[in-house]
Amino acid sequence: MWETCAVELSVRLPRPVAAEVEEVQRRDPELLSRLVMYAVTRRAIYDQLAGDAGPAVEDPDGRDRT
């Protein structure tokens, strides 16, 4: 399929969501990996179709979160 490499992500989630993500990671780490890959791929496609007109996502404080 694709050549892959490991990355480490740190995200801030509400506690109940974080608990669910930790449970999914413990139960089925491959599922969590596929979900993240799916989300990043969708975002990359969206950015490509949007013509990279600017920051993909902006925090309320104005920081670019691409």
Side-chain angles (χ1 to χ4, degrees), residues 2-3 26 32 41:
W2 292 318
E3 184 178 331
R26 193 172 47 64
L32 189 57
T41 301

Side-chain angles (χ1 to χ4, degrees), residues 39 43 46-47 53-66:
R43 187 64 206 202
Y46 173 82
D47 287 346
V57 178
E58 195 172 280
D59 275 345
D61 64 356
R63 291 181 306 177
D64 182 7
R65 293 187 340 188
T66 55

Side-chain angles (χ1 to χ4, degrees), residues 24-25 27-37:
V24 169
Q25 185 177 23
R27 232 177 340 129
D28 189 354
E30 181 61 27
L31 173 63
L32 189 57
S33 176
R34 288 191 317 263
L35 288 171
V36 170
M37 187 180 343

